[in-house]
Amino acid sequence: MKSYEIARSSRLILLLIYTFISAIFAFIYLTKSNAQQDGCCFENPLFYLNLVTTLCFIVLVHKSISSNHKLIVAFGFLFLFLFLSEISYFIFYGEMISEGVLDSIIETNSQEVMSMTKQALIIIGPAFITTFLIAFILKKIISVKFNVFIPLSLYILMLLVISLFLITNSSIKAEIKRGDYKSTAEIVRRIYPAALGNLSYLFASYTSTDIYSNTHEIEKFNKAILLPPSKPDNDLIVFIMGESSLVTRYSAYGYHKQTTPFMTNIFSQNGGCIISNSHSAAAFTRDSIPMTLSFNVPESDDNLFDNKSIIEMAKFNHYKTYWLASAAQQIQGTFNTKFGFIARKSEVITFSEDSLDINLSQSLEDMLQKDNSPKKFIFVHLRGSHQPYTKGYDEIDKQALPDAEAYDLTIHHTDRTIKALYDVINKYSNNYTIIYTSDHGEIVNVGHGIGDNIDQFLIPFMFISTNQRYNCQFIESFRGSDGYLSGLMNKYILSNLLGYEIDQGTLDKEKNNDRVFMPNSRVMPFSKLLNKH
């Protein structure tokens, strides 16, 4: 009897500990993700649902690891590792893993996966060690056993209720019919934040990539575009998209180290302008590029599938279209899916063999030398300043800035790249327009797509044209009432350059509705983000 009471007491104590851990996790999830909007966390029913599902999850993991069956132990070990990885991510970044991060895991190429190895190890390394330690304690030291009938029944019952809701919801049924399963997984993730939610979202994101596989031309123009287009003034339009480029590290914008001497000279000459106060529309490449090259908006992806992209509009108005990118930005199959959906509409797609951007100028020269098409639209995607920074520069950059940190050297390498591209363009054309900007900024030595740090949105924007009609005042006309030029304006700027007129009412509405797509998938007014900092 005494032995039974001790065992029962130990079980109760351990259950209280697990409940406490579950409550903390549920509180963190609600307050550090987009699940809790306003009001007190403890007044939100979702808090108690999260607490129950997390507690059931922990008890089931405990039971699995304590099992005598190796396969069950392996599953318990795996799910414990995933749970501890979430906790490790929160400790390191101060927020829960967002949908944007999970999408980026799926929609990436092997080069980017390898480049993020160091950051991944920082997260999964401690989680893996802690998983081994906890598994050892549960197997060798703690002999408490739980009856899994109640937690397993609750866990499955709630999942069935959610599934029934999803099956009967008309808006979600429409998305499923289109092949997009992520909205369903977002709901599961809100109820099951511990491991299962992230796994279900990753699976849904992976199975949803087929919606980006269609390469057929879209017939419909966005309602903002006035037809027919006029005969375009520009023979050659080159849009250069940088990567992870923080404007405050550019000497062209006042940084104390000479990171961008070439760009300063190029864009300060007649016909050029260095635009201040510019920001990206998103903090992830997968979201930012579609909002530059299509009429995609932060609130919805519908226009991506329903309206012609800038690439398709260029072809419609007799431009030959090119997509030129570094090896690090390769589009593999239906991966890099969201912007790959647009890229694959280009008539010529070329990737350099070397990851250093400076080599792109030779690829561009090969293009211009061989192709006599009278009108060309070229999108150039740089590796830029993506992590690891040490892969983004060479000895020439180190010699030019011997005391600079690695990130500054990547900016200097981008500066040399722009100069090399500019020289090639000048050599083969006397009627051109060049835009250089970045897909997003960077929290230096941390990354991007994390929290609400404004550095991941602050970007350069530089412009030069041989056509006097397209001058600095032309670019300034797209600036919003908050004083910033948004990445959402890129599509309208390019539309004008390609010979299309824009409905002024629609443009004014968009221009003065300056917002950004946050890493946690919320849409936030840029002024609100700005005021937080």
Side-chain angles (χ1 to χ4, degrees):
M1 178 66 71
K2 189 173 182 180
S3 173
Y4 173 75
E5 288 176 356
I6 292 172
R8 187 177 180 183
S9 175
S10 299
R11 192 182 303 118
L12 181 60
I13 291 169
L14 194 58
L15 189 61
L16 288 172
I17 291 170
Y18 286 165
T19 303
F20 182 67
I21 292 170
S22 302
I24 292 174
F25 185 80
F27 176 81
I28 290 171
Y29 175 75
L30 281 180
T31 55
K32 296 295 182 178
S33 70
N34 63 343
Q36 172 73 11
Q37 301 290 336
D38 298 299
C40 177
C41 172
F42 301 110
E43 295 175 357
N44 190 339
L46 201 56
F47 168 78
Y48 300 98
L49 286 173
N50 290 168
L51 191 157
V52 170
T53 58
T54 305
L55 178 59
C56 291
F57 171 82
I58 292 173
V59 170
L60 290 170
V61 167
H62 174 110
K63 180 66 176 179
S64 298
I65 291 175
S66 302
S67 172
N68 293 322
H69 299 283
K70 290 182 180 180
L71 185 60
I72 295 175
V73 172
F75 272 105
F77 187 94
L78 173 63
F79 278 94
L80 177 60
F81 167 69
L82 293 173
F83 179 57
L84 292 175
S85 294
E86 291 184 52
I87 294 172
S88 180
Y89 185 95
F90 170 76
I91 292 170
F92 188 74
Y93 289 117
E95 65 171 16
M96 301 306 295
I97 299 171
S98 67
E99 285 92 350
V101 170
L102 296 171
D103 280 327
S104 293
I105 291 171
I106 295 298
E107 298 181 21
T108 191
N109 59 40
S110 56
Q111 293 258 4
E112 286 203 357
V113 169
M114 294 303 294
S115 73
M116 300 304 290
T117 301
K118 182 179 178 181
Q119 286 77 5
L121 286 174
I122 291 171
I123 303 302
I124 67 175
F128 197 69
I129 294 168
T130 308
T131 302
F132 263 109
L133 181 62
I134 292 173
F136 176 80
I137 292 170
L138 291 179
K139 290 291 283 183
K140 302 295 183 181
I141 299 174
I142 296 177
S143 57
V144 173
K145 304 291 183 183
F146 286 107
N147 188 327
V148 297
F149 177 77
I150 294 176
L152 186 60
S153 299
L154 272 173
Y155 208 68
I156 294 173
L157 178 63
M158 291 175 67
L159 194 59
L160 289 173
V161 171
I162 295 169
S163 301
L164 184 64
F165 166 77
L166 295 174
I167 291 168
T168 56
N169 186 289
S170 58
S171 62
I172 291 174
K173 281 168 69 176
E175 290 185 359
I176 292 173
K177 188 176 180 180
R178 192 174 72 182
D180 188 351
Y181 307 103
K182 290 194 283 189
S183 292
T184 63
E186 284 174 15
I187 294 171
V188 173
R189 193 167 178 260
R190 290 189 179 192
I191 307 298
Y192 292 84
L196 180 67
N198 286 345
L199 276 179
S200 63
Y201 189 88
L202 283 170
F203 180 74
S205 184
Y206 177 78
T207 54
S208 298
T209 57
D210 282 347
I211 64 174
Y212 303 113
S213 62
N214 191 341
T215 56
H216 290 96
E217 295 286 320
I218 297 171
E219 295 299 322
K220 185 180 176 184
F221 284 86
N222 184 264
K223 63 182 180 180
I225 301 301
L226 303 178
L227 297 171
S230 60
K231 185 178 179 181
D233 300 325
N234 298 281
D235 290 343
L236 176 61
I237 301 170
V238 182
F239 190 101
I240 306 169
M241 181 67 86
E243 171 70 44
S244 309
S245 216
L246 175 61
V247 68
T248 55
R249 294 300 187 98
Y250 280 60
S251 56
Y253 289 90
Y255 189 54
H256 65 281
K257 293 184 179 179
Q258 287 300 309
T259 52
T260 57
F262 293 125
M263 278 191 267
T264 302
N265 290 334
I266 292 168
F267 295 102
S268 295
Q269 61 184 313
N270 187 36
C273 43
I274 298 172
I275 300 295
S276 60
N277 293 342
S278 179
H279 71 82
S280 64
F284 282 115
T285 306
R286 66 174 299 276
D287 298 310
S288 179
I289 290 183
M291 286 190 272
T292 283
L293 293 178
S294 78
F295 289 83
N296 211 35
V297 291
E299 295 80 5
S300 170
D301 286 341
D302 288 349
N303 289 345
L304 181 67
F305 304 103
D306 296 342
N307 298 156
K308 280 185 180 295
S309 67
I310 294 297
I311 303 288
E312 292 164 297
M313 288 168 61
K315 286 194 283 187
F316 185 87
N317 209 18
H318 312 296
Y319 279 87
K320 188 164 182 179
T321 55
Y322 306 77
W323 188 283
L324 172 60
S326 74
Q329 304 293 4
Q330 282 195 43
I331 298 163
Q332 299 169 342
T334 55
F335 291 93
N336 302 103
T337 49
K338 204 171 182 182
F339 69 85
F341 175 73
I342 300 170
R344 286 189 292 274
K345 304 293 178 73
S346 303
E347 292 162 282
V348 179
I349 302 175
T350 302
F351 303 101
S352 66
E353 295 181 2
D354 196 299
S355 62
L356 283 173
D357 289 334
I358 196 69
N359 298 298
L360 286 168
S361 60
Q362 185 58 56
S363 299
L364 179 63
E365 181 153 23
D366 292 342
M367 276 184 182
L368 297 179
Q369 198 173 45
K370 295 173 183 176
D371 198 324
N372 294 320
S373 302
K375 303 285 185 184
K376 302 180 185 71
F377 175 77
I378 303 175
F379 182 81
V380 183
H381 192 190
L382 307 183
R383 181 202 182 279
S385 300
H386 198 285
Q387 291 183 319
Y389 307 140
T390 52
K391 300 290 186 181
Y393 59 85
D394 57 21
E395 285 299 319
I396 296 174
D397 302 301
K398 290 168 69 175
Q399 289 170 14
L401 295 172
D403 299 322
E405 62 178 292
Y407 184 80
D408 289 345
L409 294 176
T410 66
I411 300 293
H412 188 270
H413 190 83
T414 295
D415 184 59
R416 288 171 51 216
T417 299
I418 300 302
K419 171 66 163 62
L421 293 170
Y422 173 76
D423 288 345
V424 171
I425 292 164
N426 246 335
K427 180 179 175 181
Y428 289 92
S429 177
N430 57 11
N431 181 8
Y432 59 81
T433 295
I434 304 170
I435 294 174
Y436 168 69
T437 186
S438 183
D439 54 359
H440 50 75
E442 180 82 345
I443 309 167
V444 178
N445 296 320
V446 176
H448 53 268
I450 303 156
D452 60 1
N453 191 309
I454 199 166
D455 282 359
Q456 60 195 325
F457 293 95
L458 300 179
I459 56 172
F461 190 102
M462 303 186 193
F463 177 92
I464 188 167
S465 179
T466 58
N467 190 323
Q468 292 183 354
R469 178 183 172 187
Y470 302 109
N471 52 25
C472 296
Q473 286 70 38
F474 165 71
I475 298 296
E476 288 292 339
S477 70
F478 293 91
R479 191 179 293 278
S481 55
D482 61 359
Y484 275 80
L485 178 67
S486 168
L488 292 171
M489 292 297 104
N490 291 339
K491 60 178 74 70
Y492 299 109
I493 293 170
L494 288 170
S495 295
N496 271 176
L497 293 173
L498 291 167
Y500 293 88
E501 292 298 318
I502 304 163
D503 175 69
Q504 194 59 45
T506 303
L507 179 60
D508 288 341
K509 182 180 177 182
E510 279 294 284
K511 186 168 62 175
N512 296 314
N513 181 23
D514 191 2
R515 71 275 194 208
V516 290
F517 188 70
M518 299 296 290
N520 62 6
S521 298
R522 282 191 197 178
V523 179
M524 180 185 288
F526 183 71
S527 58
K528 183 177 179 181
L529 179 65
L530 196 63
N531 291 336
K532 292 180 76 171
H533 300 273

